Every structure is written in structure tokens, then in C-alpha cells.
Coordinates of all heavy atoms in Angstrom, one line a residue:
M1 N -9.6 -140.5 118.9 CA -9.0 -141.5 119.7 C -9.6 -142.7 119.5 O -10.9 -142.9 119.4 CB -9.2 -141.0 121.3 CG -8.3 -141.9 122.1 SD -8.5 -141.3 123.9 CE -8.0 -139.8 124.0
S2 N -8.7 -143.8 119.4 CA -9.3 -145.1 118.9 C -9.9 -145.8 120.3 O -9.6 -145.4 121.4 CB -8.2 -146.0 118.4 OG -7.3 -146.4 119.4
T3 N -10.7 -146.7 120.0 CA -11.3 -147.5 121.0 C -10.4 -148.2 122.0 O -10.6 -148.3 123.2 CB -12.3 -148.5 120.4 OG1 -13.1 -147.9 119.4 CG2 -13.2 -149.2 121.5
S4 N -9.2 -148.7 121.4 CA -8.3 -149.3 122.2 C -7.6 -148.5 123.3 O -7.2 -148.9 124.4 CB -7.1 -149.9 121.4 OG -6.4 -148.8 120.7
F5 N -7.7 -147.0 123.1 CA -7.1 -146.2 124.2 C -8.4 -145.8 125.1 O -7.9 -145.4 126.2 CB -6.4 -145.0 123.5 CG -5.2 -145.2 122.8 CD1 -5.1 -145.2 121.5 CD2 -4.2 -145.7 123.7 CE1 -3.8 -145.4 120.9 CE2 -2.9 -145.9 122.9 CZ -2.8 -145.8 121.6
R6 N -9.4 -145.7 124.7 CA -10.6 -145.3 125.5 C -10.8 -146.1 126.7 O -11.1 -145.7 127.8 CB -11.8 -145.0 124.7 CG -11.8 -143.9 123.9 CD -13.1 -143.6 123.1 NE -12.8 -142.8 122.0 CZ -13.7 -142.5 121.0 NH1 -14.8 -143.3 121.0 NH2 -13.5 -141.7 119.9
R7 N -10.9 -147.3 126.4 CA -11.2 -148.3 127.5 C -10.2 -148.3 128.6 O -10.6 -148.3 129.8 CB -11.3 -149.7 126.8 CG -11.8 -150.8 127.8 CD -12.1 -152.0 127.3 NE -13.5 -152.4 127.6 CZ -14.1 -153.5 127.3 NH1 -13.6 -154.3 126.4 NH2 -15.3 -153.7 127.7
P8 N -9.0 -148.5 128.5 CA -7.9 -148.4 129.6 C -8.1 -147.1 130.4 O -8.0 -147.0 131.5 CB -6.6 -148.5 129.0 CG -6.8 -149.2 127.6 CD -8.3 -148.8 127.1
I9 N -8.3 -146.0 129.6 CA -8.5 -144.7 130.3 C -9.7 -144.7 131.3 O -9.6 -144.2 132.3 CB -8.5 -143.5 129.4 CG1 -7.1 -143.3 128.7 CG2 -8.8 -142.2 129.9 CD1 -7.0 -142.4 127.5
A10 N -10.8 -145.1 130.7 CA -12.1 -145.2 131.4 C -11.9 -146.1 132.8 O -12.3 -145.7 133.7 CB -13.2 -145.7 130.6
I11 N -11.2 -147.3 132.5 CA -11.1 -148.1 133.6 C -10.1 -147.5 134.7 O -10.5 -147.6 135.9 CB -10.5 -149.5 133.2 CG1 -11.6 -150.2 132.4 CG2 -10.1 -150.3 134.4 CD1 -11.1 -151.5 131.6
T12 N -9.1 -146.8 134.2 CA -8.2 -146.1 135.2 C -8.9 -145.0 135.9 O -8.8 -145.0 137.1 CB -7.0 -145.6 134.4 OG1 -6.4 -146.6 133.7 CG2 -6.0 -144.9 135.4
L13 N -9.7 -144.3 135.2 CA -10.5 -143.2 135.9 C -11.5 -143.8 136.9 O -11.6 -143.2 137.9 CB -11.2 -142.4 134.9 CG -10.4 -141.4 134.1 CD1 -11.1 -140.7 133.0 CD2 -9.7 -140.5 135.0
L14 N -12.1 -144.9 136.5 CA -13.1 -145.5 137.5 C -12.4 -146.0 138.7 O -12.9 -145.8 139.8 CB -13.9 -146.6 136.7 CG -14.9 -147.4 137.5 CD1 -16.0 -146.5 137.9 CD2 -15.3 -148.6 136.7
I15 N -11.3 -146.7 138.5 CA -10.6 -147.3 139.7 C -10.0 -146.0 140.5 O -10.2 -146.2 141.8 CB -9.5 -148.1 139.1 CG1 -10.0 -149.5 138.5 CG2 -8.5 -148.5 140.4 CD1 -9.0 -150.3 137.9
G16 N -9.6 -145.1 140.0 CA -9.1 -143.9 140.7 C -10.2 -143.3 141.6 O -10.0 -143.0 142.7
T17 N -11.3 -143.1 140.9 CA -12.5 -142.6 141.6 C -13.0 -143.5 142.8 O -13.2 -142.9 143.9 CB -13.7 -142.3 140.7 OG1 -13.3 -141.4 139.6 CG2 -14.9 -141.7 141.3
V18 N -13.0 -144.6 142.6 CA -13.5 -145.6 143.6 C -12.5 -145.5 144.8 O -12.9 -145.5 146.0 CB -13.6 -147.0 143.1 CG1 -13.8 -147.9 144.3 CG2 -14.8 -147.1 142.2
L19 N -11.2 -145.6 144.4 CA -10.2 -145.6 145.6 C -10.2 -144.2 146.3 O -10.1 -144.3 147.6 CB -8.8 -145.8 144.9 CG -8.6 -147.3 144.5 CD1 -7.2 -147.3 143.8 CD2 -8.7 -148.2 145.7
A20 N -10.5 -143.1 145.6 CA -10.4 -141.9 146.2 C -11.7 -141.8 147.3 O -11.5 -141.2 148.3 CB -10.5 -140.7 145.2
Q21 N -12.7 -142.2 146.8 CA -14.0 -142.2 147.7 C -13.9 -143.1 148.8 O -14.4 -142.9 149.9 CB -15.2 -142.4 146.9 CG -15.6 -141.3 145.9 CD -16.8 -141.6 145.2 OE1 -17.3 -142.7 145.1 NE2 -17.3 -140.5 144.4
A22 N -13.2 -144.2 148.7 CA -13.1 -145.2 149.7 C -12.2 -144.7 150.9 O -12.6 -145.0 152.1 CB -12.6 -146.5 149.2
G23 N -11.3 -143.8 150.6 CA -10.5 -143.3 151.5 C -11.1 -142.2 152.3 O -10.6 -141.9 153.4
C24 N -12.2 -141.7 151.9 CA -12.8 -140.5 152.6 C -13.8 -141.0 153.6 O -14.2 -140.2 154.5 CB -13.6 -139.7 151.5 SG -12.5 -138.9 150.3
F25 N -14.3 -142.1 153.6 CA -15.3 -142.6 154.4 C -14.9 -143.8 155.3 O -15.5 -144.9 155.4 CB -16.6 -143.1 153.6 CG -17.1 -142.0 152.7 CD1 -16.9 -141.9 151.4 CD2 -17.8 -141.0 153.3 CE1 -17.3 -141.0 150.6 CE2 -18.2 -139.9 152.5 CZ -18.0 -139.9 151.1
V26 N -13.8 -143.5 156.1 CA -13.2 -144.6 156.9 C -14.3 -144.8 158.1 O -14.4 -145.9 158.7 CB -11.8 -144.2 157.4 CG1 -11.3 -145.2 158.4 CG2 -11.0 -144.1 156.2
G27 N -14.8 -143.8 158.7 CA -15.7 -144.0 159.8 C -15.6 -142.7 160.7 O -14.7 -141.8 160.4
D28 N -16.3 -142.6 161.7 CA -16.3 -141.5 162.6 C -15.1 -141.5 163.6 O -15.0 -142.5 164.3 CB -17.6 -141.4 163.4 CG -17.7 -140.1 164.2 OD1 -16.9 -139.2 164.1 OD2 -18.8 -140.0 164.9
E29 N -14.3 -140.5 163.4 CA -13.0 -140.5 164.2 C -13.2 -139.8 165.5 O -12.3 -139.7 166.3 CB -11.8 -139.9 163.4 CG -11.5 -140.7 162.2 CD -10.5 -140.0 161.3 OE1 -9.9 -139.1 161.8 OE2 -10.2 -140.5 160.2
N30 N -14.5 -139.2 165.7 CA -14.7 -138.5 166.9 C -15.2 -139.6 167.9 O -15.8 -140.6 167.7 CB -15.8 -137.5 166.6 CG -15.3 -136.4 165.7 OD1 -14.2 -136.0 165.8 ND2 -16.2 -136.2 164.8
H31 N -14.9 -139.1 169.3 CA -15.3 -140.0 170.3 C -16.4 -139.3 171.1 O -16.2 -138.4 171.9 CB -14.1 -140.3 171.3 CG -13.1 -141.0 170.6 ND1 -13.1 -142.4 170.3 CD2 -11.9 -140.5 170.2 CE1 -12.1 -142.7 169.7 NE2 -11.3 -141.7 169.6
W32 N -17.7 -139.6 170.7 CA -18.9 -138.9 171.3 C -19.2 -139.5 172.7 O -19.3 -140.7 172.9 CB -20.1 -139.1 170.4 CG -19.8 -138.4 169.0 CD1 -19.4 -138.9 167.9 CD2 -20.0 -137.0 168.9 NE1 -19.4 -137.8 167.0 CE2 -19.7 -136.6 167.5 CE3 -20.5 -135.9 169.7 CZ2 -19.8 -135.4 167.1 CZ3 -20.5 -134.6 169.1 CH2 -20.2 -134.3 167.9
A33 N -19.5 -138.6 173.5 CA -19.9 -139.0 174.9 C -21.3 -139.6 175.0 O -22.2 -139.2 174.3 CB -19.9 -137.7 175.8
S34 N -21.4 -140.6 175.6 CA -22.7 -141.4 175.9 C -23.4 -140.4 176.9 O -23.0 -139.6 177.7 CB -22.5 -142.7 176.5 OG -22.0 -142.6 177.8
R35 N -24.9 -140.8 177.0 CA -25.7 -140.1 178.0 C -25.2 -140.3 179.4 O -25.1 -139.3 180.1 CB -27.1 -140.7 177.9 CG -28.1 -140.1 178.6 CD -29.6 -140.7 178.4 NE -30.5 -139.9 179.0 CZ -31.1 -140.0 180.2 NH1 -30.6 -141.0 180.9 NH2 -32.0 -139.3 180.7
A36 N -24.7 -141.4 179.7 CA -24.2 -141.7 181.0 C -22.9 -141.0 181.3 O -22.7 -140.5 182.5 CB -23.9 -143.3 181.2
Q37 N -22.0 -140.8 180.3 CA -20.7 -140.1 180.5 C -21.0 -138.6 180.7 O -20.4 -138.0 181.6 CB -19.9 -140.3 179.2 CG -19.3 -141.7 179.2 CD -18.6 -141.9 177.9 OE1 -19.0 -141.6 176.8 NE2 -17.4 -142.6 177.9
I38 N -22.0 -138.1 180.1 CA -22.4 -136.6 180.3 C -22.9 -136.5 181.7 O -22.6 -135.5 182.4 CB -23.3 -136.1 179.2 CG1 -22.6 -136.1 177.8 CG2 -23.9 -134.7 179.4 CD1 -23.5 -135.9 176.7
A39 N -23.8 -137.4 182.0 CA -24.4 -137.3 183.4 C -23.4 -137.4 184.5 O -23.4 -136.7 185.5 CB -25.5 -138.4 183.6
D40 N -22.4 -138.3 184.3 CA -21.3 -138.4 185.2 C -20.4 -137.1 185.3 O -20.0 -136.7 186.4 CB -20.4 -139.5 184.9 CG -19.3 -139.9 185.9 OD1 -19.6 -140.0 187.0 OD2 -18.1 -140.1 185.4
A41 N -20.2 -136.5 184.1 CA -19.5 -135.2 184.1 C -20.3 -134.1 184.9 O -19.7 -133.3 185.6 CB -19.1 -134.8 182.7
A42 N -21.7 -134.1 184.6 CA -22.4 -133.2 185.4 C -22.4 -133.3 186.8 O -22.4 -132.4 187.7 CB -23.8 -133.3 184.9
T43 N -22.3 -134.6 187.4 CA -22.2 -134.8 188.8 C -21.0 -134.2 189.3 O -20.9 -133.6 190.4 CB -22.2 -136.3 189.1 OG1 -23.5 -136.9 188.5 CG2 -22.2 -136.7 190.5
H44 N -19.8 -134.3 188.6 CA -18.5 -133.7 188.9 C -18.6 -132.2 189.1 O -17.9 -131.7 189.7 CB -17.3 -134.1 188.0 CG -17.0 -135.6 188.0 ND1 -16.7 -136.2 186.9 CD2 -17.0 -136.5 189.0 CE1 -16.4 -137.5 187.2 NE2 -16.6 -137.6 188.6
C45 N -19.6 -131.7 188.3 CA -19.7 -130.3 188.1 C -20.9 -129.7 189.1 O -21.3 -128.6 189.1 CB -20.0 -129.8 186.7 SG -18.6 -130.1 185.7
G46 N -21.3 -130.6 190.0 CA -22.3 -130.2 191.0 C -23.8 -130.3 190.5 O -24.6 -129.8 191.3
L47 N -24.0 -131.1 189.5 CA -25.5 -131.3 189.1 C -25.7 -132.7 189.3 O -25.4 -133.5 188.6 CB -25.6 -130.9 187.7 CG -25.5 -129.4 187.3 CD1 -25.5 -129.2 185.9 CD2 -26.6 -128.6 187.9
R48 N -26.6 -133.0 190.3 CA -27.0 -134.4 190.4 C -28.3 -134.7 189.7 O -29.1 -133.7 189.4 CB -27.3 -134.6 192.0 CG -26.2 -134.4 192.9 CD -26.5 -134.8 194.3 NE -25.6 -134.3 195.2 CZ -24.3 -134.9 195.4 NH1 -24.0 -135.9 194.7 NH2 -23.6 -134.5 196.4
D49 N -28.5 -135.9 189.3 CA -29.7 -136.3 188.5 C -29.8 -135.5 187.2 O -30.9 -135.1 186.8 CB -30.9 -136.0 189.3 CG -30.9 -137.1 190.5 OD1 -30.3 -138.1 190.5 OD2 -31.4 -136.6 191.7
F50 N -28.7 -135.1 186.5 CA -28.8 -134.3 185.3 C -29.2 -135.2 184.2 O -28.8 -136.4 184.1 CB -27.3 -133.8 185.1 CG -27.3 -133.0 183.8 CD1 -27.8 -131.7 183.7 CD2 -26.6 -133.5 182.6 CE1 -27.7 -130.9 182.5 CE2 -26.6 -132.7 181.5 CZ -27.1 -131.4 181.4
K51 N -30.1 -134.7 183.4 CA -30.5 -135.4 182.1 C -30.1 -134.7 180.9 O -30.6 -133.7 180.6 CB -32.0 -135.5 182.3 CG -32.5 -136.3 183.4 CD -34.0 -136.6 183.4 CE -34.5 -137.4 184.6 NZ -33.6 -137.7 185.7
P52 N -29.1 -135.4 180.2 CA -28.6 -134.8 179.0 C -29.7 -134.6 177.9 O -30.7 -135.5 177.9 CB -27.6 -135.7 178.5 CG -27.1 -136.5 179.7 CD -28.3 -136.6 180.6
T53 N -29.5 -133.7 177.1 CA -30.5 -133.5 176.0 C -30.1 -134.2 174.7 O -29.0 -134.3 174.2 CB -30.5 -132.0 175.6 OG1 -30.8 -131.3 176.8 CG2 -31.7 -131.7 174.6
R54 N -31.1 -135.0 174.1 CA -30.8 -135.8 172.8 C -30.7 -134.6 171.7 O -31.5 -133.7 171.6 CB -32.0 -136.6 172.5 CG -31.8 -137.5 171.4 CD -30.8 -138.6 171.8 NE -31.0 -139.8 171.1 CZ -29.9 -140.5 170.8 NH1 -28.8 -140.2 171.2 NH2 -30.0 -141.6 170.1
A55 N -29.6 -134.8 171.0 CA -29.3 -133.9 169.8 C -28.9 -134.8 168.5 O -27.8 -135.1 168.4 CB -28.2 -133.0 170.2
G56 N -29.9 -135.3 167.8 CA -29.6 -136.1 166.8 C -29.2 -137.5 167.2 O -29.8 -138.1 168.0
D57 N -28.0 -137.8 166.7 CA -27.4 -139.1 167.1 C -26.6 -139.1 168.4 O -26.1 -140.0 168.8 CB -26.6 -139.7 166.0 CG -27.4 -140.3 164.8 OD1 -28.6 -140.5 165.0 OD2 -26.9 -140.3 163.7
A58 N -26.4 -137.8 168.8 CA -25.5 -137.6 170.0 C -26.2 -137.0 171.1 O -27.6 -136.9 171.2 CB -24.4 -136.5 169.6
W59 N -25.6 -136.5 172.1 CA -26.2 -135.8 173.4 C -25.5 -134.5 173.6 O -24.4 -134.4 173.3 CB -25.9 -136.8 174.6 CG -26.6 -138.1 174.5 CD1 -26.1 -139.4 174.0 CD2 -28.0 -138.4 174.9 NE1 -27.1 -140.3 174.1 CE2 -28.3 -139.8 174.6 CE3 -29.0 -137.5 175.4 CZ2 -29.4 -140.3 174.8 CZ3 -30.2 -138.2 175.6 CH2 -30.4 -139.6 175.3
A60 N -26.2 -133.7 174.1 CA -25.8 -132.3 174.5 C -25.9 -132.2 176.1 O -26.7 -132.8 176.7 CB -26.7 -131.2 173.8
A61 N -25.2 -131.4 176.6 CA -25.0 -131.2 178.0 C -25.6 -129.7 178.2 O -25.1 -128.9 179.0 CB -23.6 -131.2 178.6
W62 N -26.8 -129.5 177.8 CA -27.5 -128.2 177.8 C -28.1 -128.1 179.4 O -28.7 -128.9 179.9 CB -28.6 -128.0 176.9 CG -29.3 -126.7 177.0 CD1 -29.0 -125.6 176.5 CD2 -30.6 -126.5 177.5 NE1 -29.8 -124.5 176.8 CE2 -30.9 -125.1 177.5 CE3 -31.6 -127.4 178.2 CZ2 -32.1 -124.6 178.0 CZ3 -32.7 -126.8 178.7 CH2 -33.0 -125.4 178.5
V63 N -27.7 -127.0 180.1 CA -28.2 -126.8 181.3 C -29.1 -125.5 181.2 O -28.7 -124.4 180.7 CB -27.0 -126.4 182.3 CG1 -27.5 -126.1 183.7 CG2 -26.0 -127.5 182.3
G64 N -30.4 -125.7 181.5 CA -31.4 -124.6 181.4 C -31.1 -123.4 182.3 O -30.4 -123.5 183.3
P65 N -31.7 -122.3 181.9 CA -31.4 -121.0 182.6 C -32.0 -120.9 183.9 O -31.7 -120.0 184.8 CB -32.0 -120.0 181.7 CG -33.0 -120.7 180.8 CD -32.5 -122.1 180.7
G66 N -32.8 -121.9 184.3 CA -33.5 -121.9 185.6 C -32.5 -122.5 186.7 O -32.7 -122.4 187.9
V67 N -31.4 -123.0 186.3 CA -30.4 -123.6 187.2 C -29.3 -122.5 187.6 O -28.9 -121.8 186.7 CB -29.7 -124.7 186.5 CG1 -28.5 -125.2 187.4 CG2 -30.5 -125.9 186.2
P68 N -29.2 -122.2 188.8 CA -28.2 -121.0 189.3 C -26.9 -121.5 188.7 O -26.4 -122.6 188.8 CB -28.3 -121.2 190.7 CG -29.5 -121.7 191.1 CD -29.9 -122.8 190.0
G69 N -26.2 -120.4 188.1 CA -24.9 -120.7 187.4 C -24.9 -121.6 186.3 O -23.9 -122.3 186.0
H70 N -26.0 -121.6 185.5 CA -26.3 -122.6 184.5 C -25.1 -122.4 183.4 O -24.6 -123.6 183.0 CB -27.5 -122.5 183.7 CG -27.7 -121.2 183.0 ND1 -27.5 -121.0 181.7 CD2 -28.2 -120.0 183.4 CE1 -27.8 -119.8 181.3 NE2 -28.1 -119.2 182.4
A71 N -24.7 -121.3 183.0 CA -23.6 -121.2 181.9 C -22.3 -121.8 182.5 O -21.6 -122.5 181.8 CB -23.4 -119.7 181.6
A72 N -21.9 -121.5 183.7 CA -20.6 -122.0 184.3 C -20.7 -123.5 184.5 O -19.7 -124.2 184.2 CB -20.3 -121.4 185.7
K73 N -21.9 -124.1 184.9 CA -21.9 -125.5 185.1 C -21.9 -126.3 183.7 O -21.3 -127.3 183.6 CB -23.2 -125.8 185.8 CG -23.1 -125.4 187.2 CD -24.4 -125.7 188.0 CE -24.1 -125.2 189.5 NZ -25.2 -125.5 190.3
E74 N -22.5 -125.6 182.7 CA -22.5 -126.2 181.3 C -21.1 -126.2 180.9 O -20.6 -127.3 180.2 CB -23.3 -125.4 180.4 CG -23.6 -126.1 179.1 CD -24.6 -125.3 178.3 OE1 -25.9 -125.3 178.7 OE2 -24.2 -124.7 177.2
D75 N -20.4 -125.1 181.0 CA -19.0 -125.1 180.6 C -18.1 -126.1 181.3 O -17.2 -126.7 180.7 CB -18.4 -123.6 180.9 CG -18.8 -122.6 179.9 OD1 -19.4 -122.9 178.9 OD2 -18.7 -121.4 180.2
C76 N -18.4 -126.3 182.6 CA -17.7 -127.3 183.4 C -17.9 -128.7 182.7 O -17.0 -129.5 182.7 CB -18.2 -127.2 184.8 SG -17.4 -128.5 186.0
I77 N -19.1 -129.0 182.5 CA -19.4 -130.3 181.9 C -18.6 -130.5 180.6 O -18.0 -131.6 180.4 CB -20.9 -130.6 181.6 CG1 -21.7 -130.4 182.9 CG2 -21.2 -131.8 180.8 CD1 -23.2 -130.3 182.7
Y78 N -18.7 -129.5 179.6 CA -18.0 -129.6 178.5 C -16.5 -129.8 178.6 O -15.8 -130.5 177.9 CB -18.3 -128.6 177.5 CG -19.7 -128.7 176.8 CD1 -20.8 -128.0 177.3 CD2 -19.9 -129.7 175.8 CE1 -22.1 -128.1 176.7 CE2 -21.2 -129.9 175.3 CZ -22.2 -129.2 175.7 OH -23.5 -129.4 175.1
A79 N -16.0 -129.0 179.5 CA -14.5 -129.0 179.9 C -14.1 -130.5 180.5 O -13.1 -131.0 180.0 CB -14.1 -127.9 180.9
D80 N -15.0 -131.0 181.3 CA -14.7 -132.3 181.8 C -14.7 -133.4 180.7 O -13.8 -134.3 180.7 CB -15.8 -132.7 182.9 CG -15.4 -133.9 183.6 OD1 -14.7 -133.8 184.6 OD2 -16.0 -135.0 183.3
L81 N -15.6 -133.3 179.9 CA -15.7 -134.3 178.7 C -14.5 -134.0 177.8 O -13.9 -135.1 177.5 CB -17.0 -134.1 178.0 CG -18.3 -134.4 178.7 CD1 -19.5 -133.9 177.8 CD2 -18.4 -136.0 179.0
N82 N -14.1 -132.9 177.6 CA -13.0 -132.6 176.8 C -11.6 -133.1 177.4 O -10.9 -133.7 176.6 CB -12.8 -131.0 176.6 CG -11.7 -130.7 175.5 OD1 -11.6 -131.4 174.6 ND2 -11.0 -129.6 175.8
R83 N -11.6 -133.0 178.6 CA -10.3 -133.6 179.4 C -10.3 -135.2 179.1 O -9.3 -135.8 179.1 CB -10.4 -133.3 180.8 CG -9.8 -131.9 181.2 CD -9.6 -131.7 182.6 NE -10.8 -131.8 183.4 CZ -11.7 -130.7 183.6 NH1 -11.4 -129.6 183.0 NH2 -12.7 -130.9 184.2
Q84 N -11.5 -135.8 178.9 CA -11.5 -137.2 178.8 C -11.5 -137.7 177.3 O -11.5 -138.8 177.0 CB -12.9 -137.8 179.3 CG -13.0 -137.5 180.8 CD -14.5 -138.0 181.2 OE1 -14.8 -139.3 180.9 NE2 -15.2 -137.1 181.8
G85 N -11.3 -136.6 176.4 CA -11.2 -136.9 175.0 C -12.7 -137.1 174.4 O -12.7 -137.7 173.3
L86 N -13.6 -136.7 175.0 CA -15.0 -137.0 174.5 C -15.6 -135.7 174.0 O -15.4 -134.6 174.5 CB -15.9 -137.5 175.6 CG -15.4 -138.8 176.3 CD1 -16.2 -139.1 177.5 CD2 -15.5 -140.0 175.2
L87 N -16.7 -135.9 173.1 CA -17.3 -134.7 172.6 C -18.8 -134.8 172.8 O -19.4 -136.0 173.0 CB -17.2 -134.8 171.0 CG -15.8 -134.5 170.4 CD1 -15.8 -134.7 168.9 CD2 -15.2 -133.2 170.7
A88 N -19.5 -133.7 172.9 CA -20.9 -133.6 173.1 C -21.4 -132.4 172.2 O -20.6 -131.5 172.1 CB -21.3 -133.5 174.5
T89 N -22.5 -132.5 171.7 CA -23.2 -131.4 170.9 C -23.4 -130.3 171.8 O -23.8 -130.4 172.9 CB -24.4 -132.0 170.3 OG1 -24.1 -133.0 169.4 CG2 -25.1 -130.8 169.4
R90 N -23.0 -129.2 171.2 CA -23.3 -127.9 172.0 C -24.2 -127.0 171.3 O -24.2 -126.9 170.2 CB -22.1 -127.1 172.3 CG -22.2 -126.1 173.3 CD -20.9 -125.8 173.9 NE -21.2 -125.0 175.1 CZ -20.2 -124.7 176.1 NH1 -18.9 -125.1 175.9 NH2 -20.6 -124.1 177.1

């Protein structure tokens, strides 16, 4: 293949690769709940002064086993956040 054909092909492949990758990293489309939003949801579920657990860049609504009905209360928090269109790490 001559040099005159290689250059346009290489440029086309480079542009195609750059455009394909640019479309993949638009940003986080998820709506993560803040610490305050999780605490508010916990209040709705009967837990006052609830302190969400830090999980990387997000928050989790982990309810310890020492809390009576902990699994149901945790499910309630996540369901409340889900109704608001919010996510929390589980």
C-alpha cells in the first residue's frame, strides 16, 4: 500500500477512536443520595439521629444488627431513596 493511502486511513482511524471514546465518558448519570438525604429518609423510617456510612465516594444506609428490625428499616431507607430517584451504596 502506498504512503498516500496510509495517512488518510490512519487519520480516519484516529478520529474514529477519539470520537468513540468521547461518547463513552459523558459523566455520571446516576443521582447519588447525599449524607443528609439518607439521614432524612432514615427519619421517615423511624430512625432518628441516623448516621450514614461512608462508602467510597458515596454513602450507604447500613443499619447495624443492634437496631431492632434493622433489616426492615434499612429496606425502608433504600425504598424511600428509590422513590425519590436517588441511589445509595448497599
Side-chain angles (χ1 to χ4, degrees):
M1 192 181 294
S2 73
T3 309
S4 62
F5 287 114
R6 288 185 196 160
R7 184 169 234 185
I9 291 173
I11 290 172
T12 302
L13 288 174
L14 178 65
I15 290 172
T17 302
V18 170
L19 290 175
Q21 288 181 348
C24 294
F25 303 105
V26 175
D28 191 1
E29 295 175 9
N30 297 314
H31 300 286
W32 292 97
S34 69
R35 184 176 193 270
Q37 289 168 320
I38 294 173
D40 186 48
T43 301
H44 293 142
C45 296
L47 292 170
R48 298 188 193 286
D49 301 320
F50 180 75
K51 297 191 179 4
T53 304
R54 189 75 158 145
D57 289 339
W59 293 95
W62 180 77
V63 179
V67 176
H70 66 92
K73 289 182 179 177
E74 189 173 291
D75 288 343
C76 176
I77 295 169
Y78 284 104
D80 187 82
L81 293 170
N82 189 37
R83 280 190 293 276
Q84 297 177 56
L86 299 170
L87 296 173
T89 300
R90 191 161 199 166

